[in-house]
Amino acid sequence: MNAAIARARAQAALTDLRPQPDDIAADAIAGLSRAPKTLPSKYFYDAEGSRLFEAITRQPEYYLTRVELALMEAQMPSIAQAIGDGVHVVEFGSGSGRKTELLLEGLAAPVAYTPIEISRTALMDSVTRLGQNFPDVQMLPVCADFTRPVPLPRAERRAHRTLVFFPGSTLGNFSDDEAVRLLRSMRGTMGDAGCALIGIDLDKDPAIIEAAYNDAAGVTAAFTVNLLTRLNREIDSDFDTDGFRHRALYARDRMRIETSLVSERAQSVRIGDHAFDFAAGEAMHVEISQKYTDASFSALAAQAGLRVTHGWNDDGDSFGLRLLQPA
């Protein structure tokens, strides 16, 4: 199947539920009205944000993607055996699809693949490539915010079970309450017979963790500031992108990276009829990156009615994959 045919097939099957400008504006206004001010990290991923994130994953300090890919390559036979054959893979926040390729390659006769991704560009690029590489797997892309309920397209062939795939430690970008709600949503998606394969970044030396979110090349900083560029373009806000700087610190007591955009001076930002004043040095929260222990992750899963049935770590116990099933 050539690329043009694969692209046409993917576009024909696309379910487009991406957030509209009014939704984005409402989320931004609500966040900036809080104390401290916040912006939703889910809006990082426009086309430029997705490109920058892929560049982040290739920085020497950013161990997460490199270690997770190696872990999947090493443990895929064991993972495939635990999951079983004939599954419908549903991926939350699919990104570039590099890990998905390893998964689909290693599973026994997967019947369909439904990526749910907020960036339409990243979604279609990924599905086009995967459609070429896996012509027997039905591609059913959904452009949507996976943090909200999403109706799944039905596969032509019946699957033995549904596998929710959530790699990359993305779960760590949510507060505990939000993560439990998301895990409950996965529980509903997978059904009683299904399972979820989730990547978790494990607690370790804070210096290693902090370096991953403050790369020397400044790619993560550009990624964070790009959120403001996107808002200016899509909801007509007037953030001065030179007036904020990236800051990512590891909060040891909470076991998480806390990323902010810090105002370089006193300034005001407008979104429509709303004005928001920033003091010099005021931090606007944009993302957390939670790190886990086995105990903390198992407790989180239990709150969502799930249990850990299998686990795989890299040799240094830096990163893990966990298979969850209904409790």
Side-chain angles (χ1 to χ4, degrees):
M1 182 182 292
N2 64 38
I5 293 172
R7 183 176 293 276
R9 174 181 170 183
Q11 289 175 333
L14 176 68
T15 301
D16 196 342
L17 301 171
R18 64 189 143 167
Q20 298 302 302
D22 286 350
D23 302 318
I24 300 172
D27 284 345
I29 290 167
L32 293 178
S33 299
R34 297 188 184 108
K37 296 180 179 69
T38 68
L39 285 175
S41 60
K42 64 186 178 183
Y43 296 129
F44 279 140
Y45 299 97
D46 62 352
E48 177 64 4
S50 295
R51 185 193 69 78
L52 285 168
F53 183 73
E54 282 304 305
I56 289 170
T57 67
R58 292 176 169 85
Q59 298 309 303
E61 301 93 337
Y62 196 82
Y63 60 86
L64 292 89
T65 302
R66 181 173 62 253
V67 172
E68 187 176 25
L69 284 167
L71 176 59
M72 287 189 69
E73 288 178 343
Q75 297 295 339
M76 199 58 230
S78 175
I79 293 168
Q81 184 176 23
I83 290 169
D85 66 348
V87 299
H88 181 169
V89 178
V90 178
E91 184 172 4
F92 285 21
S94 57
S96 70
R98 281 188 286 162
K99 296 162 195 170
T100 315
E101 193 161 358
L102 286 174
L103 182 70
L104 294 177
E105 215 168 60
L107 289 174
V111 302
Y113 172 59
T114 296
I116 304 172
E117 167 63 50
I118 201 167
S119 169
R120 192 179 190 279
T121 301
L123 177 68
M124 299 315 299
D125 287 349
S126 171
V127 168
T128 296
R129 188 181 70 256
L130 292 170
Q132 290 177 275
N133 293 341
F134 303 97
D136 294 331
V137 179
Q138 186 180 9
M139 298 287 152
L140 298 168
V142 176
C143 188
D145 172 5
F146 65 76
T147 65
R148 298 174 181 177
V150 176
L152 295 180
R154 186 181 296 274
E156 292 171 357
R157 289 183 289 153
R158 185 174 180 179
H160 294 161
R161 72 194 312 193
T162 298
L163 167 69
V164 174
F165 185 43
F166 198 42
S169 193
T170 307
L171 186 70
N173 296 147
F174 299 88
S175 69
D176 283 353
D177 288 346
E178 292 168 337
V180 168
R181 285 197 294 273
L182 186 55
L183 288 168
R184 284 179 182 149
S185 176
M186 291 182 191
R187 168 72 174 79
T189 298
M190 73 175 72
D192 291 340
C195 55
L197 183 64
I198 297 180
I200 56 172
D201 194 20
L202 300 171
D203 190 35
K204 63 184 75 64
D205 181 351
I208 294 172
I209 296 173
E210 274 200 0
Y213 297 86
N214 294 282
D215 59 274
V219 182
T220 306
F223 170 76
T224 308
V225 173
N226 182 66
L227 172 61
L228 305 183
T229 302
R230 177 185 184 177
L231 295 179
N232 286 349
R233 182 181 67 248
E234 296 192 17
I235 64 172
D236 201 28
S237 55
D238 65 351
F239 286 99
D240 176 4
T241 55
D242 292 326
F244 292 86
R245 61 180 169 83
H246 164 89
R247 185 180 74 190
L249 300 172
Y250 189 57
R252 190 71 187 85
D253 57 331
R254 293 185 289 279
M255 288 197 307
R256 69 187 194 187
I257 282 283
E258 296 177 345
T259 301
S260 302
L261 284 165
V262 181
S263 182
E264 297 277 45
R265 54 181 170 77
Q267 57 183 307
S268 183
V269 173
R270 299 193 68 87
I271 302 176
D273 296 331
H274 299 264
F276 302 95
D277 294 327
F278 287 82
E282 182 177 354
M284 174 171 54
H285 172 81
V286 294
E287 189 175 49
I288 62 170
S289 298
Q290 186 72 46
K291 311 305 170 187
Y292 297 99
T293 62
D294 277 328
S296 68
F297 181 73
S298 293
L300 195 72
Q303 291 182 63
L306 297 164
R307 62 190 175 93
V308 178
T309 61
H310 298 77
W312 303 269
N313 287 0
D314 71 293
D315 290 341
D317 289 328
S318 176
F319 194 94
L321 288 163
R322 299 293 182 266
L323 192 69
L324 302 179
Q325 294 183 12

